[in-house]
Amino acid sequence: MVRSVLLSFCFLGFAACARGEFYKLEDDIVGPRFLSAFDFQDIADPTHGRVRYVNKFDALWKNLTYVDENSFILRTDYTNTLDPNGPGRDSVRVMSKKTYSTVTTVFDVRHMPQGCGTWPAIWTTTTGKWPDGGEVDIMEGVNDQWSNQATLHTGPGCTMPPYRLQTGMSNGDNCDVYATYNAGCSVGFQNPLSYGPQFNRNGGGWYAMERTPFYVKVWFWTREDIFVPHDVKHGGSHINTGSWGIPAAYFPNTSCNFDKFFSDHNIIINLTLCGDWAGNDDVYSNSGCPSTCVDHVNNNPSAFADAYFDIASLRIYC
Ligand SMILES: *[C@@H]1O[C@H](CO)[C@@H](O)[C@H](O)[C@H]1NC(C)=O
Ligand SMILES: *[C@@H]1O[C@H](CO)[C@@H](O)[C@H](O)[C@H]1NC(C)=O
Ligand SMILES: *[C@@H]1O[C@H](CO)[C@@H](O)[C@H](O)[C@H]1NC(C)=O
């Protein structure tokens, strides 16, 4: 009896996995495990942000990264005034040691960086020459914008169909970074609780991204959403994305050859300040932010006290 249940369970798991939708927990990253699952990258910010990414030792020593049993904190410095001719504000960029292709990642996020000049991101990409191999942005925004946006970035030849089954709104269907000034094909979420101060006041929520050879889907549920799937909320050992409902963002492969445009990806969590997007003069001033982005970062350390991620868990299903 037990044996036949087990057998049929395995069979189901296998048959379903090939189809996508059914996945098994592969990495359960909570608290201190973030420090072993991710590398710290003290690199120059490729998007010209007013930050200095520090190494692991400095991140822990300066308490820019902090872990306890059930949280992972990643933040910028919020105590030092900066020399305008010196390096940017200390911040942290971490990249997963493992790479993934067909995968579902579930992030339980309690707090995301907020404030003028902030540009936080949870995303996946390759270590190869960008944009070859593609980029998937799961959670991203600047200057406390109205809601989250999820985006694909590729080389030329990847577009999205104009009508898609998603709750978000497409901002453009061409994912080619060369044709879109690096913007790619983004989808703006309809729920303002998906980003910034509103997200934080509400205790955050869950972000999930499923990538298969056929599509990429991104979901978001607020902390109090009564429709958050049980397997998401409770970090189940098995998940069924087929029961998660319509995603906020849906990127099918109908006019984009995923095999060609997307290779194995690392997961990256980064927090930059200003830079090409957040610090763009129009974008920054249209957000109602004070002075210029770089001056704000240099002179107002305390404005960055809430510029931190508090991540309860990252569960990776294959
Ligand atoms: C931070 O994340 C965004 C993801 O959208 C990316 O465009 C940017 O290059 C990243 N910056 C760094 C230094 O990783
Ligand atoms: C380090 O940061 C954590 C999380 O923000 C905080 O609880 C803790 O008190 C900080 N430790 C020190 C020594 O400041
Ligand atoms: C979508 O992906 C599947 C699985 O790799 C493939 O068989 C199919 O040809 C792809 N469709 C397009 C239009 O690329």
Side-chain angles (χ1 to χ4, degrees):
M1 179 58 194
V2 168
R3 188 186 166 122
S4 78
V5 168
L6 272 178
L7 276 176
S8 60
F9 183 72
C10 289
F11 173 72
L12 261 180
F14 172 76
C17 226
R19 250 195 7 238
E21 300 197 344
F22 288 86
Y23 300 80
K24 187 163 102 14
L25 186 59
E26 162 135 326
D27 291 307
D28 187 7
I29 305 173
V30 178
R33 288 204 188 166
F34 276 94
L35 299 182
S36 48
F38 284 83
D39 287 322
F40 286 63
Q41 300 186 288
D42 52 341
I43 56 171
D45 182 351
T47 52
H48 315 106
R50 187 71 183 128
V51 289
R52 173 172 64 180
Y53 286 124
V54 301
N55 63 28
K56 185 176 188 173
F57 179 86
D58 285 344
L60 291 167
W61 171 250
K62 296 178 173 177
N63 209 26
L64 302 175
T65 302
Y66 170 86
V67 294
D68 63 20
E69 287 302 285
N70 53 34
S71 48
F72 173 63
I73 310 278
L74 182 160
R75 69 181 324 141
T76 62
D77 165 75
Y78 63 101
T79 53
N80 295 297
T81 301
L82 304 181
D83 172 356
N85 301 313
R89 189 164 292 290
D90 284 350
S91 189
V92 183
R93 183 195 211 250
V94 295
M95 181 172 86
S96 67
K97 290 180 182 164
K98 284 202 203 173
T99 61
Y100 306 90
S101 51
T102 294
V103 70
T104 297
T105 54
V106 181
F107 295 84
D108 180 343
V109 182
R110 295 191 190 96
H111 188 282
M112 71 167 69
Q114 71 175 68
C116 283
T118 57
W119 175 2
I122 295 178
W123 53 300
T124 75
T125 194
T126 64
T127 49
K129 195 178 139 290
W130 192 86
D132 298 346
E135 170 179 333
V136 178
D137 298 328
I138 301 166
M139 193 228 84
E140 189 186 17
V142 294
N143 304 319
D144 295 343
Q145 70 186 39
W146 188 76
S147 71
N148 186 58
Q149 67 186 57
T151 309
L152 300 189
H153 298 261
T154 66
C158 170
T159 60
M160 291 295 129
Y163 300 105
R164 291 179 258 163
L165 199 56
Q166 60 184 11
T167 61
M169 296 276 287
S170 170
N171 297 316
D173 296 330
N174 195 347
C175 306
D176 172 10
V177 298
Y178 301 109
T180 58
Y181 300 98
N182 286 347
C185 49
S186 69
V187 172
F189 289 22
Q190 292 300 293
N191 188 345
L193 297 178
S194 62
Y195 196 81
Q198 313 90 286
F199 174 93
N200 294 334
R201 272 196 297 276
N202 201 48
W206 292 268
Y207 272 98
M209 189 274 287
E210 179 185 16
R211 175 181 158 196
T212 76
F214 299 90
Y215 58 79
V216 169
K217 293 179 180 176
V218 181
W219 289 266
F220 170 70
W221 299 275
T222 66
R223 189 61 67 198
E224 267 113 43
D225 191 335
I226 56 169
F227 295 112
V228 57
H230 189 268
D231 47 9
V232 169
K233 187 168 183 175
H234 299 284
S237 58
H238 292 78
I239 55 170
N240 173 9
T241 60
S243 70
W244 287 2
I246 299 174
Y250 175 51
F251 304 98
N253 76 337
T254 39
S255 49
C256 177
N257 182 342
F258 277 26
D259 286 345
K260 175 175 166 203
F261 289 106
F262 295 93
S263 49
D264 289 357
H265 279 186
N266 300 87
I267 299 166
I268 302 180
I269 304 171
N270 71 340
L271 170 51
T272 195
L273 301 173
C274 305
D276 296 341
W277 187 16
N280 172 287
D281 287 343
D282 290 338
V283 172
Y284 183 77
S285 57
N286 288 338
S287 313
C289 287
S291 72
T292 67
C293 194
V294 169
D295 286 348
H296 179 65
V297 171
N298 289 348
N299 301 326
N300 299 295
S302 64
F304 297 90
D306 289 320
Y308 68 92
F309 282 104
D310 178 350
I311 301 179
S313 63
L314 163 55
R315 295 199 163 88
I316 299 175
Y317 296 87
C318 292

